[in-house]
């Protein structure tokens, strides 16, 4: 399986003949350089891939940059691409986010009347009108949403329209990105039958700074980056590796344009699901 403060078009026409504005008017950017709109895939069971550490499918920034993650390759390795949206496209995306009720703030999951074990959802993260809103929509198909299966069919229809528009915007990201830095998260693991762990190619995991609950984090650059990238891009679910005689589960990804450190990555991951951040392999009930 495989996003916030630009203004809407404001038409001003005074009684005394004032000229109407024909281009979108941008609101003040209060995102702090973070994506204004993003959609991220989540997995509730058996999925072909996951989004490690909140890696979005599509992210749109205040300056019009669009970042997409392409996983259409045979091994699902993420390929990052970037491009530039025009003002009318940006305004349209914002209109759709507002129409979908993504300016209220907080976290929520849209209720669905059908339980499921496998599959995934789409999480919309919007920074608009100085609020951060995260809404997860289980089993959303943007091209053919089963709106009547949800408690709020009209809103799901609007969410699907936004999701479709964001993924269409992703098609405008036509320049491959070569990341200069990768982030890795690691925690101690237990052996699994039939799994032969490889030797970890990056910095010693036991020496990485702790970021809570036994989890360790590091930003990898320089000579070790390419080997680390090859390892973590091959398994977004979190592979098992040995480091200094211990077994670890490790997940990682490329650093996004607005991220500089582990705290930035943690914020991205925390905004990528309605339930907040979770390490790959942790159980989380489907909504």
């Amino acid at each position: 399986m495989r996003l916030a403060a630009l203004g809407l078009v404001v038409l001003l026409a005074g009684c005394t003949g004032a000229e109407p504005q024909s281009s979108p008017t941008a609101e003040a950017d209060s995102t702090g350089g973070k994506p204004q709109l993003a959609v991220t895939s989540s997995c509730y069971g058996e999925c072909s891939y996951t989004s490690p550490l909140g890696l979005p499918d599509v992210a749109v920034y205040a300056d019009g940059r669009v970042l997409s993650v392409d996983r259409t390759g045979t091994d699902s390795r993420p390929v990052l691409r970037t491009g530039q949206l025009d003002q009318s496209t940006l305004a349209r995306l914002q209109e759709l986010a507002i129409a979908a009720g993504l300016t209220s703030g907080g976290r929520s999951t849209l209720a669905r009347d059908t339980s499921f074990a496998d599959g995934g959802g789409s999480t919309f993260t919007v920074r608009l009108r100085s609020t951060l809103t995260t809404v997860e929509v289980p089993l959303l198909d943007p091209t053919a949403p089963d709106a009547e299966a949800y408690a709020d069919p009209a809103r799901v229809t609007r969410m699907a329209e936004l999701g479709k528009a964001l993924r269409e915007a992703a098609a405008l990201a036509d320049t491959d990105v070569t990341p200069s830095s990768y982030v890795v998260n690691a925690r101690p693991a237990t052996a699994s039958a039939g799994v032969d762990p490889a030797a970890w190619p990056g910095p010693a995991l036991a020496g990485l700074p702790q970021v809570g609950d036994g989890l360790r984090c590091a930003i990898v650059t320089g000579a070790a980056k390419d080997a680390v990238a090859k390892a973590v891009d091959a398994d977004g679910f979190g592979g098992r590796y040995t480091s200094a005689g211990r077994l670890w589960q490790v997940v990682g990804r490329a650093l996004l344009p607005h991220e500089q450190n582990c705290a930035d990555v943690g914020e991205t991951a925390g905004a990528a699901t309605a339930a907040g951040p979770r390490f790959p392999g942790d159980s989380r009930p489907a909504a």
Side-chain angles (χ1 to χ4, degrees):
M1 294 186 57
R2 294 252 188 231
L3 294 321
L6 287 170
L8 300 175
V9 176
V10 180
L11 300 179
L12 301 177
C15 296
T16 58
E19 290 294 326
Q21 295 182 356
S22 58
S23 61
T25 301
E27 294 179 0
D29 174 22
S30 59
T31 66
K34 301 158 191 168
Q36 290 190 322
L37 304 101
V39 60
T40 307
S41 295
S42 52
C43 176
Y44 307 138
E46 295 296 326
C47 304
S48 61
Y49 68 85
T50 187
S51 295
L53 303 178
L55 184 65
D57 299 343
V58 189
V60 176
Y61 292 82
D63 59 4
R65 287 174 299 159
V66 57
L67 183 74
S68 74
V69 179
D70 183 4
R71 297 183 180 88
T72 59
T74 56
D75 57 3
S76 296
R77 291 176 184 266
V79 176
L80 276 62
R81 296 190 175 95
T82 188
Q84 188 71 29
L85 304 182
D86 59 33
Q87 286 293 307
S88 61
T89 301
L90 286 166
R92 174 60 176 159
L93 291 173
Q94 186 179 18
E95 290 172 353
L96 291 172
I98 292 171
L102 290 169
T103 59
S104 59
R107 301 175 183 268
S108 61
T109 300
L110 296 192
R112 181 183 168 97
D113 63 10
T114 302
S115 62
F116 51 90
D118 292 336
S122 294
T123 300
F124 296 87
T125 304
V126 175
R127 294 178 176 88
L128 187 64
R129 296 179 175 174
S130 300
T131 65
L132 171 60
T133 306
T134 300
V135 178
E136 190 166 352
V137 190
L139 294 182
L140 179 67
D141 181 349
T143 59
D146 183 16
E148 297 304 319
Y150 299 83
D152 190 344
R155 191 178 186 195
V156 170
T157 298
R158 293 190 291 268
M159 288 282 195
E161 189 175 1
L162 173 60
K164 181 180 179 181
L166 283 167
R167 289 181 168 90
E168 289 173 347
L172 301 176
D174 54 4
T175 302
D176 286 4
V177 176
T178 301
S180 60
S181 303
Y182 267 66
V183 59
V184 294
N185 274 188
R187 70 177 181 187
T190 56
S192 297
V195 176
D196 186 15
W200 173 244
L205 297 174
L208 302 185
Q210 293 197 40
V211 292
D213 195 25
L215 193 65
R216 299 175 185 269
C217 180
I219 305 300
V220 182
T221 60
K225 187 257 300 182
D226 289 344
V228 166
K230 183 177 180 180
V232 299
D233 279 351
D235 189 356
F237 291 95
R240 281 177 166 78
Y241 297 88
T242 56
S243 176
R246 297 179 62 185
L247 184 63
W248 300 81
Q249 185 181 7
V250 185
V251 66
R253 61 163 172 78
L255 225 58
L256 300 180
H258 67 283
E259 297 172 335
Q260 299 182 26
N261 50 47
C262 288
D264 292 341
V265 175
E267 186 173 356
T268 300
T273 68
R278 68 187 182 105
F279 195 85
D282 290 346
S283 61
R284 181 171 62 86

